[in-house]
Amino acid sequence: MDVDALYQEIILDHYKRPHGRGLRDPYEAEVHHVNPTCGDEITLRVHIDGDRIADVSYAAEGCSISQASASVLNDLVIGRTVEDAMALHDDFTELMQGRGKVEPNEDRLEDGIAFAGVAQFPARIKCALLSWMAWKDATAQALTDHSTSDLGENE
Ligand code: ZN
């Protein structure tokens, strides 16, 4: 099967049946991020329990790529330690900024590899990264408010 077709199918599948969608309680931080170039929007909440991501809930609207990305993010980060999820965020960002030349690690990124195809289209990269940036922002805020970690992750 053609890799691009497979990637498109994965993205469409998440778009049609988004995983974990909806805003839930409890949560420590909520953010609202917008991608003005495409019109994508996401409201995202993070719930952290100890050093783990207990829940990521969201309400998203916009293009299929931005919404599928939020669904994949939900699959990938819930249940991970904050540190591991942050590393995963970096892996995904690296893939998206690799202009289609970074070989995706399927064991690590699972359905996230489908966005390797998107990385070839500069205009769509922000769509794919929107939910991840929102998640990182919300997680940083949650950790600041509760000061349970010395993650030191900020730009
Ligand atoms: Zn978009």
Side-chain angles (χ1 to χ4, degrees), residues 2-144:
D2 175 21
V3 158
D4 283 336
L6 176 66
Y7 285 171
Q8 279 176 26
E9 196 176 300
I10 292 171
I11 288 174
L12 224 70
D13 215 54
H14 277 277
Y15 173 58
K16 287 182 188 157
R17 285 176 290 276
H19 301 180
R21 185 167 63 173
L23 292 168
R24 292 178 289 276
D25 290 313
Y27 65 96
E28 287 75 44
E30 178 182 292
V31 298
H32 181 71
H33 278 222
V34 178
N35 172 22
T37 54
C38 182
D40 309 318
E41 293 190 32
I42 189 165
T43 301
L44 183 143
R45 292 176 176 175
V46 169
H47 172 39
I48 294 173
D49 185 11
D51 66 347
R52 282 191 188 271
I53 309 292
D55 196 17
V56 176
S57 63
Y58 62 97
E61 51 186 281
C63 69
S64 56
I65 292 170
S66 67
Q67 299 206 48
S69 174
S71 174
V72 170
L73 166 82
N74 180 276
D75 276 357
L76 284 177
V77 302
I78 292 175
R80 283 183 197 269
T81 63
V82 171
E83 194 182 353
D84 190 25
M86 281 290 180
L88 200 67
H89 165 281
D90 292 346
D91 289 349
F92 187 77
T93 303
E94 189 192 339
L95 174 67
M96 293 317 299
Q97 292 173 345
R99 302 194 174 281
K101 291 186 174 63
V102 172
E103 194 66 39
N105 180 343
E106 186 170 4
D107 287 342
R108 191 121 169 94
L109 292 174
E110 299 175 24
D111 280 357
I113 60 164
F115 295 89
V118 177
Q120 298 165 41
F121 305 101
R124 313 313 299 275
I125 293 171
K126 282 183 183 167
C127 302
L129 286 176
L130 179 69
S131 57
W132 288 83
M133 285 162 56
W135 170 78
K136 187 180 180 183
D137 184 17
T139 301
Q141 285 185 30
L143 293 174
T144 307

